[in-house]
Amino acid sequence: MRILLWLALSSGILGAAQAPNAEDIIRKSVAANERDFHAQGDYNYKERDKDRGGAKLYQITMIDGSPYQRLLAVNGKPVSGEMEKQRQAEAQRRAESSQQRQDRIAKYKKDQARDYVMMSQLSKAFNFKLVGKSKVKGFNVYVLKATPRPGYQPPNMESQVLPGMEGEMWIDQKTYQWVKVTAKVIRPVSIEGFLAQVQPGTRFEIEKAPVGGGIWQITHFAMRSKAKILHFIDHASEEDDTFFDFERAGAK
């Protein structure tokens, strides 16, 4: 009887010790997202962008170190002549000098780095709390709440909105990948260098999915923004983008 009791207690203690905490989950998820981020340039894919003006469908193709965006359709209607534009772009890139090529790729990487800084700031800008487990899109996930961390100082303009936001994350229990992330602005945030203020009502959503080889990529991004320009002119915008048909660049 004592042995059975000891085994039961030991099992409970070990189970508790192995249970993940919010900090571990976030740390592992940031590492997983970093791998995905650096793999972005390895894939071609399609992108559908929707806003109040309608919808556009693009084919994104990596050509000599940076992506090329070819318009396929506008509001569901195919467009013509775009393949010839891509061929011309390919010829131009082949004819570039070494310096021109370096500058083009550097611009692409600079744009990437701006997005990466925003992602890498999550673990610094928020306090996370594990609030449960669930199932999303067929994945068993940890559910975490994110609230602003007191004293956080944004390192750049892109991350200045973070102190005014709170969010929720659904993280895959096996891979620690983000299955879904939502965030919203809960208090007005002024953007340094711009006479603008991001307002409550601004929110975004990100969804990711596996594309092969342990890599996940963003498959959906939606944003609704509210801001005051010059601190008194209201400005609102909406964006809803989907990404699909991922394939390894150069696979064909």
Side-chain angles (χ1 to χ4, degrees):
M1 191 65 164
R2 289 182 179 178
I3 292 176
L4 291 176
L5 180 60
W6 181 84
L7 287 172
L9 289 171
S10 296
S11 176
I13 292 170
L14 289 174
Q18 293 172 356
N21 58 48
E23 289 76 14
D24 287 340
I25 293 170
I26 290 299
R27 177 176 53 80
K28 291 177 180 179
S29 79
V30 168
N33 274 277
E34 184 174 355
R35 292 192 298 272
D36 298 339
F37 172 81
H38 290 299
Q40 284 180 354
D42 297 337
Y43 292 91
N44 301 330
Y45 56 91
K46 288 184 174 65
E47 175 179 341
R48 181 179 289 110
D49 297 346
K50 294 181 181 179
D51 57 25
R52 293 176 178 177
K56 293 182 179 180
L57 177 65
Y58 300 93
Q59 171 67 48
I60 311 300
T61 305
M62 292 298 298
I63 300 175
D64 192 20
S66 68
Y68 178 83
Q69 186 181 64
R70 173 163 55 96
L71 183 62
L72 298 177
V74 177
N75 294 326
K77 297 180 179 180
V79 297
S80 59
E82 294 298 312
M83 193 65 223
E84 180 57 33
K85 292 181 182 178
Q86 179 170 329
R87 294 191 186 99
Q88 292 174 3
E90 291 172 348
Q92 289 174 353
R93 293 187 184 189
R94 288 194 298 268
E96 287 176 337
S97 67
S98 176
Q99 187 61 53
Q100 288 173 327
R101 181 178 184 273
Q102 288 179 23
D103 291 344
R104 172 174 53 80
I105 295 175
K107 182 181 182 302
Y108 164 58
K109 291 187 177 297
K110 182 179 180 180
D111 292 340
Q112 272 193 313
R114 184 173 59 244
D115 295 337
Y116 175 70
V117 169
M118 184 78 160
M119 181 192 73
S120 67
Q121 287 298 302
L122 289 178
S123 60
K124 303 178 179 68
F126 297 100
N127 290 322
F128 293 91
K129 181 180 180 181
L130 178 61
V131 295
K133 298 179 181 180
S134 185
K135 195 160 190 171
V136 176
K137 297 170 62 177
F139 297 98
N140 294 316
V141 297
Y142 298 115
V143 184
L144 285 83
K145 292 280 190 181
T147 54
R149 178 172 293 175
Y152 169 71
Q153 297 295 322
N156 60 8
M157 184 183 70
E158 286 75 22
S159 57
Q160 285 179 16
V161 71
L162 294 178
M165 303 189 80
E166 67 178 16
E168 194 166 8
M169 307 179 76
W170 292 262
I171 298 177
D172 180 44
Q173 294 178 20
K174 288 185 177 180
T175 64
Y176 293 92
Q177 291 279 4
W178 297 352
V179 178
K180 184 178 178 179
V181 178
T182 62
K184 62 183 180 181
V185 173
I186 56 175
R187 63 175 180 81
V189 179
S190 296
I191 305 301
E192 185 179 339
F194 290 84
L195 295 177
Q197 190 178 67
V198 182
Q199 296 288 307
T202 297
R203 59 187 300 116
F204 74 83
E205 176 180 299
I206 293 173
E207 294 178 292
K208 295 182 67 177
V211 296
I215 297 298
W216 291 42
Q217 291 294 303
I218 294 175
T219 56
H220 180 233
F221 172 79
M223 179 179 69
R224 177 180 296 174
S225 67
K226 293 181 66 177
K228 283 189 179 295
I229 310 299
L230 300 176
H231 300 297
F232 63 89
I233 302 174
D234 290 326
H235 176 76
S237 63
E238 294 183 19
E239 180 180 349
D240 192 299
D241 306 331
T242 54
F243 310 89
F244 56 100
D245 286 354
F246 285 86
E247 63 176 11
R248 279 277 181 178
K252 293 183 178 180

